mmCIF file of all heavy atoms in Angstrom:
data_model
loop_
_atom_site.group_PDB
_atom_site.id
_atom_site.type_symbol
_atom_site.label_atom_id
_atom_site.label_comp_id
_atom_site.label_asym_id
_atom_site.label_seq_id
_atom_site.Cartn_x
_atom_site.Cartn_y
_atom_site.Cartn_z
ATOM 1 N N ILE A 1 0.838 -1.200 -0.011
ATOM 2 C CA ILE A 1 -0.003 -0.006 -0.014
ATOM 3 C C ILE A 1 0.871 1.241 0.002
ATOM 4 O O ILE A 1 0.662 2.176 -0.792
ATOM 5 C CB ILE A 1 -0.950 -0.004 1.223
ATOM 6 C CG1 ILE A 1 -1.999 -1.125 1.055
ATOM 7 C CG2 ILE A 1 -1.625 1.353 1.390
ATOM 8 C CD1 ILE A 1 -2.694 -1.475 2.353
ATOM 9 N N ILE A 2 1.848 1.272 0.866
ATOM 10 C CA ILE A 2 2.717 2.438 0.982
ATOM 11 C C ILE A 2 3.449 2.727 -0.341
ATOM 12 O O ILE A 2 3.583 3.879 -0.760
ATOM 13 C CB ILE A 2 3.730 2.255 2.153
ATOM 14 C CG1 ILE A 2 3.025 2.231 3.482
ATOM 15 C CG2 ILE A 2 4.847 3.345 2.086
ATOM 16 C CD1 ILE A 2 3.865 1.715 4.622
ATOM 17 N N ASN A 3 3.872 1.700 -1.057
ATOM 18 C CA ASN A 3 4.676 1.863 -2.232
ATOM 19 C C ASN A 3 3.865 1.622 -3.523
ATOM 20 O O ASN A 3 4.480 1.509 -4.605
ATOM 21 C CB ASN A 3 5.855 0.889 -2.197
ATOM 22 C CG ASN A 3 6.736 1.159 -1.005
ATOM 23 O OD1 ASN A 3 7.136 2.315 -0.743
ATOM 24 N ND2 ASN A 3 6.999 0.166 -0.201
ATOM 25 N N ALA A 4 2.536 1.602 -3.455
ATOM 26 C CA ALA A 4 1.735 1.395 -4.649
ATOM 27 C C ALA A 4 1.950 2.503 -5.683
ATOM 28 O O ALA A 4 2.302 3.640 -5.281
ATOM 29 C CB ALA A 4 0.281 1.358 -4.257
ATOM 30 N N PRO A 5 1.751 2.239 -6.946
ATOM 31 C CA PRO A 5 1.920 3.244 -7.989
ATOM 32 C C PRO A 5 0.953 4.436 -7.711
ATOM 33 O O PRO A 5 -0.093 4.274 -7.060
ATOM 34 C CB PRO A 5 1.528 2.541 -9.262
ATOM 35 C CG PRO A 5 1.676 1.089 -8.974
ATOM 36 C CD PRO A 5 1.381 0.918 -7.522
ATOM 37 N N LEU A 6 1.320 5.569 -8.235
ATOM 38 C CA LEU A 6 0.513 6.761 -8.086
ATOM 39 C C LEU A 6 -0.811 6.617 -8.812
ATOM 40 O O LEU A 6 -0.880 6.577 -10.040
ATOM 41 C CB LEU A 6 1.300 7.969 -8.605
ATOM 42 C CG LEU A 6 0.585 9.339 -8.460
ATOM 43 C CD1 LEU A 6 0.327 9.636 -6.997
ATOM 44 C CD2 LEU A 6 1.470 10.423 -9.071
ATOM 45 N N ALA A 7 -1.843 6.440 -8.060
ATOM 46 C CA ALA A 7 -3.184 6.268 -8.606
ATOM 47 C C ALA A 7 -4.154 6.310 -7.417
ATOM 48 O O ALA A 7 -3.737 6.107 -6.262
ATOM 49 C CB ALA A 7 -3.339 4.932 -9.314
ATOM 50 N N PRO A 8 -5.421 6.590 -7.646
ATOM 51 C CA PRO A 8 -6.407 6.524 -6.514
ATOM 52 C C PRO A 8 -6.295 5.107 -5.882
ATOM 53 O O PRO A 8 -6.085 4.113 -6.575
ATOM 54 C CB PRO A 8 -7.724 6.733 -7.164
ATOM 55 C CG PRO A 8 -7.398 7.518 -8.413
ATOM 56 C CD PRO A 8 -6.086 6.971 -8.871
ATOM 57 N N LEU A 9 -6.377 5.097 -4.570
ATOM 58 C CA LEU A 9 -6.231 3.836 -3.834
ATOM 59 C C LEU A 9 -7.215 3.791 -2.669
ATOM 60 O O LEU A 9 -7.345 4.779 -1.933
ATOM 61 C CB LEU A 9 -4.767 3.789 -3.281
ATOM 62 C CG LEU A 9 -4.351 2.589 -2.521
ATOM 63 C CD1 LEU A 9 -4.330 1.351 -3.419
ATOM 64 C CD2 LEU A 9 -2.938 2.784 -1.934
ATOM 65 N N ARG A 10 -7.886 2.712 -2.549
ATOM 66 C CA ARG A 10 -8.800 2.501 -1.464
ATOM 67 C C ARG A 10 -8.267 1.343 -0.599
ATOM 68 O O ARG A 10 -7.942 0.298 -1.132
ATOM 69 C CB ARG A 10 -10.188 2.126 -1.887
ATOM 70 C CG ARG A 10 -11.197 1.933 -0.737
ATOM 71 C CD ARG A 10 -12.618 1.745 -1.221
ATOM 72 N NE ARG A 10 -12.959 0.441 -1.738
ATOM 73 C CZ ARG A 10 -13.218 -0.656 -0.993
ATOM 74 N NH1 ARG A 10 -13.122 -0.591 0.334
ATOM 75 N NH2 ARG A 10 -13.523 -1.777 -1.530
ATOM 76 N N VAL A 11 -8.208 1.569 0.711
ATOM 77 C CA VAL A 11 -7.718 0.518 1.607
ATOM 78 C C VAL A 11 -8.824 0.192 2.613
ATOM 79 O O VAL A 11 -9.384 1.096 3.236
ATOM 80 C CB VAL A 11 -6.459 1.025 2.384
ATOM 81 C CG1 VAL A 11 -6.013 0.012 3.421
ATOM 82 C CG2 VAL A 11 -5.327 1.357 1.433
ATOM 83 N N ALA A 12 -9.174 -1.049 2.695
ATOM 84 C CA ALA A 12 -10.197 -1.519 3.633
ATOM 85 C C ALA A 12 -9.566 -2.668 4.418
ATOM 86 O O ALA A 12 -9.002 -3.611 3.832
ATOM 87 C CB ALA A 12 -11.435 -1.977 2.905
ATOM 88 N N ALA A 13 -9.654 -2.596 5.730
ATOM 89 C CA ALA A 13 -9.148 -3.620 6.604
ATOM 90 C C ALA A 13 -9.854 -3.516 7.945
ATOM 91 O O ALA A 13 -10.483 -2.514 8.225
ATOM 92 C CB ALA A 13 -7.627 -3.466 6.779
ATOM 93 N N GLY A 14 -9.713 -4.534 8.741
ATOM 94 C CA GLY A 14 -10.399 -4.594 10.017
ATOM 95 C C GLY A 14 -9.791 -3.670 11.084
ATOM 96 O O GLY A 14 -8.756 -3.042 10.866
ATOM 97 N N ALA A 15 -10.451 -3.621 12.217
ATOM 98 C CA ALA A 15 -9.987 -2.790 13.338
ATOM 99 C C ALA A 15 -8.636 -3.258 13.840
ATOM 100 O O ALA A 15 -8.337 -4.439 13.880
ATOM 101 C CB ALA A 15 -11.025 -2.880 14.459
ATOM 102 N N GLY A 16 -7.773 -2.282 14.134
ATOM 103 C CA GLY A 16 -6.472 -2.573 14.745
ATOM 104 C C GLY A 16 -5.468 -3.142 13.749
ATOM 105 O O GLY A 16 -4.456 -3.698 14.193
ATOM 106 N N THR A 17 -5.662 -2.959 12.446
ATOM 107 C CA THR A 17 -4.734 -3.486 11.450
ATOM 108 C C THR A 17 -3.666 -2.502 11.007
ATOM 109 O O THR A 17 -2.814 -2.841 10.196
ATOM 110 C CB THR A 17 -5.483 -4.015 10.238
ATOM 111 O OG1 THR A 17 -6.267 -2.946 9.671
ATOM 112 C CG2 THR A 17 -6.379 -5.214 10.615
ATOM 113 N N GLY A 18 -3.748 -1.272 11.515
ATOM 114 C CA GLY A 18 -2.715 -0.302 11.141
ATOM 115 C C GLY A 18 -3.064 0.555 9.930
ATOM 116 O O GLY A 18 -2.141 1.097 9.304
ATOM 117 N N LYS A 19 -4.329 0.682 9.631
ATOM 118 C CA LYS A 19 -4.742 1.482 8.446
ATOM 119 C C LYS A 19 -4.278 2.930 8.531
ATOM 120 O O LYS A 19 -3.727 3.468 7.598
ATOM 121 C CB LYS A 19 -6.260 1.431 8.280
ATOM 122 C CG LYS A 19 -6.834 0.112 7.880
ATOM 123 C CD LYS A 19 -8.346 0.160 7.775
ATOM 124 C CE LYS A 19 -9.066 0.544 9.058
ATOM 125 N NZ LYS A 19 -8.949 -0.389 10.168
ATOM 126 N N THR A 20 -4.496 3.563 9.670
ATOM 127 C CA THR A 20 -4.146 4.957 9.796
ATOM 128 C C THR A 20 -2.624 5.172 9.713
ATOM 129 O O THR A 20 -2.133 6.062 9.030
ATOM 130 C CB THR A 20 -4.690 5.499 11.155
ATOM 131 O OG1 THR A 20 -6.085 5.305 11.204
ATOM 132 C CG2 THR A 20 -4.385 6.987 11.299
ATOM 133 N N THR A 21 -1.862 4.317 10.350
ATOM 134 C CA THR A 21 -0.405 4.423 10.286
ATOM 135 C C THR A 21 0.107 4.176 8.868
ATOM 136 O O THR A 21 0.958 4.861 8.346
ATOM 137 C CB THR A 21 0.268 3.436 11.240
ATOM 138 O OG1 THR A 21 -0.184 3.726 12.586
ATOM 139 C CG2 THR A 21 1.774 3.499 11.187
ATOM 140 N N THR A 22 -0.492 3.172 8.214
ATOM 141 C CA THR A 22 -0.143 2.869 6.816
ATOM 142 C C THR A 22 -0.463 4.052 5.933
ATOM 143 O O THR A 22 0.345 4.412 5.060
ATOM 144 C CB THR A 22 -0.859 1.565 6.342
ATOM 145 O OG1 THR A 22 -0.484 0.513 7.226
ATOM 146 C CG2 THR A 22 -0.469 1.234 4.927
ATOM 147 N N LEU A 23 -1.612 4.659 6.109
ATOM 148 C CA LEU A 23 -2.018 5.802 5.299
ATOM 149 C C LEU A 23 -1.048 6.958 5.519
ATOM 150 O O LEU A 23 -0.639 7.629 4.559
ATOM 151 C CB LEU A 23 -3.444 6.210 5.604
ATOM 152 C CG LEU A 23 -4.006 7.387 4.814
ATOM 153 C CD1 LEU A 23 -3.883 7.151 3.315
ATOM 154 C CD2 LEU A 23 -5.453 7.672 5.198
ATOM 155 N N ALA A 24 -0.644 7.198 6.749
ATOM 156 C CA ALA A 24 0.346 8.267 7.026
ATOM 157 C C ALA A 24 1.658 7.985 6.314
ATOM 158 O O ALA A 24 2.245 8.931 5.714
ATOM 159 C CB ALA A 24 0.551 8.400 8.533
ATOM 160 N N HIS A 25 2.105 6.776 6.302
ATOM 161 C CA HIS A 25 3.322 6.444 5.595
ATOM 162 C C HIS A 25 3.153 6.535 4.098
ATOM 163 O O HIS A 25 4.090 6.903 3.362
ATOM 164 C CB HIS A 25 3.853 5.040 6.037
ATOM 165 C CG HIS A 25 4.510 5.091 7.356
ATOM 166 N ND1 HIS A 25 5.847 5.316 7.519
ATOM 167 C CD2 HIS A 25 4.014 4.922 8.629
ATOM 168 C CE1 HIS A 25 6.144 5.321 8.800
ATOM 169 N NE2 HIS A 25 5.054 5.073 9.493
ATOM 170 N N ARG A 26 1.978 6.220 3.613
ATOM 171 C CA ARG A 26 1.688 6.359 2.177
ATOM 172 C C ARG A 26 1.767 7.826 1.781
ATOM 173 O O ARG A 26 2.380 8.203 0.758
ATOM 174 C CB ARG A 26 0.276 5.826 1.876
ATOM 175 C CG ARG A 26 -0.290 6.159 0.531
ATOM 176 C CD ARG A 26 0.278 5.318 -0.579
ATOM 177 N NE ARG A 26 -0.405 5.543 -1.870
ATOM 178 C CZ ARG A 26 0.073 5.274 -3.029
ATOM 179 N NH1 ARG A 26 1.243 4.711 -3.133
ATOM 180 N NH2 ARG A 26 -0.595 5.584 -4.104
ATOM 181 N N VAL A 27 1.184 8.725 2.600
ATOM 182 C CA VAL A 27 1.275 10.146 2.309
ATOM 183 C C VAL A 27 2.725 10.602 2.342
ATOM 184 O O VAL A 27 3.210 11.323 1.446
ATOM 185 C CB VAL A 27 0.462 10.948 3.339
ATOM 186 C CG1 VAL A 27 0.729 12.445 3.256
ATOM 187 C CG2 VAL A 27 -0.998 10.662 3.155
ATOM 188 N N GLY A 28 3.523 10.138 3.340
ATOM 189 C CA GLY A 28 4.922 10.470 3.381
ATOM 190 C C GLY A 28 5.672 10.004 2.130
ATOM 191 O O GLY A 28 6.496 10.776 1.594
ATOM 192 N N ALA A 29 5.390 8.822 1.682
ATOM 193 C CA ALA A 29 6.048 8.287 0.465
ATOM 194 C C ALA A 29 5.640 9.138 -0.775
ATOM 195 O O ALA A 29 6.485 9.414 -1.615
ATOM 196 C CB ALA A 29 5.684 6.847 0.254
ATOM 197 N N LEU A 30 4.363 9.494 -0.869
ATOM 198 C CA LEU A 30 3.965 10.278 -2.021
ATOM 199 C C LEU A 30 4.653 11.638 -2.023
ATOM 200 O O LEU A 30 5.033 12.171 -3.054
ATOM 201 C CB LEU A 30 2.412 10.470 -1.989
ATOM 202 C CG LEU A 30 1.626 9.243 -2.275
ATOM 203 C CD1 LEU A 30 0.081 9.498 -2.057
ATOM 204 C CD2 LEU A 30 1.837 8.764 -3.707
ATOM 205 N N VAL A 31 4.788 12.268 -0.852
ATOM 206 C CA VAL A 31 5.422 13.568 -0.748
ATOM 207 C C VAL A 31 6.905 13.457 -1.046
ATOM 208 O O VAL A 31 7.470 14.241 -1.811
ATOM 209 C CB VAL A 31 5.123 14.193 0.637
ATOM 210 C CG1 VAL A 31 5.949 15.460 0.835
ATOM 211 C CG2 VAL A 31 3.647 14.496 0.801
ATOM 212 N N THR A 32 7.573 12.525 -0.400
ATOM 213 C CA THR A 32 9.079 12.453 -0.565
ATOM 214 C C THR A 32 9.504 11.773 -1.833
ATOM 215 O O THR A 32 10.477 12.208 -2.431
ATOM 216 C CB THR A 32 9.690 11.727 0.665
ATOM 217 O OG1 THR A 32 9.154 10.423 0.770
ATOM 218 C CG2 THR A 32 9.419 12.523 1.942
ATOM 219 N N ASP A 33 8.797 10.717 -2.229
ATOM 220 C CA ASP A 33 9.252 9.962 -3.387
ATOM 221 C C ASP A 33 8.626 10.391 -4.724
ATOM 222 O O ASP A 33 9.239 10.249 -5.800
ATOM 223 C CB ASP A 33 8.938 8.417 -3.196
ATOM 224 C CG ASP A 33 9.653 7.852 -1.964
ATOM 225 O OD1 ASP A 33 10.635 8.457 -1.528
ATOM 226 O OD2 ASP A 33 9.159 6.826 -1.497
ATOM 227 N N GLN A 34 7.406 10.929 -4.680
ATOM 228 C CA GLN A 34 6.696 11.283 -5.859
ATOM 229 C C GLN A 34 6.623 12.795 -6.082
ATOM 230 O O GLN A 34 6.123 13.273 -7.119
ATOM 231 C CB GLN A 34 5.298 10.722 -5.883
ATOM 232 C CG GLN A 34 5.225 9.236 -5.808
ATOM 233 C CD GLN A 34 5.623 8.564 -7.098
ATOM 234 O OE1 GLN A 34 5.485 9.105 -8.164
ATOM 235 N NE2 GLN A 34 6.117 7.342 -6.982
ATOM 236 N N GLY A 35 7.042 13.554 -5.074
ATOM 237 C CA GLY A 35 7.003 14.991 -5.198
ATOM 238 C C GLY A 35 5.605 15.642 -5.175
ATOM 239 O O GLY A 35 5.374 16.693 -5.652
ATOM 240 N N ILE A 36 4.660 14.919 -4.613
ATOM 241 C CA ILE A 36 3.289 15.397 -4.511
ATOM 242 C C ILE A 36 3.194 16.336 -3.323
ATOM 243 O O ILE A 36 3.669 16.077 -2.249
ATOM 244 C CB ILE A 36 2.293 14.202 -4.319
ATOM 245 C CG1 ILE A 36 2.479 13.132 -5.373
ATOM 246 C CG2 ILE A 36 0.853 14.705 -4.234
ATOM 247 C CD1 ILE A 36 2.231 13.597 -6.752
#
């Protein structure tokens, strides 16, 4: 998820699976690696 290609992405997972943390790291990767 963090390193997925630049495109709209929907993540669905159960409670306590780290969705919010993963999304934060995805945003960080998009900003630092993709220049978004």
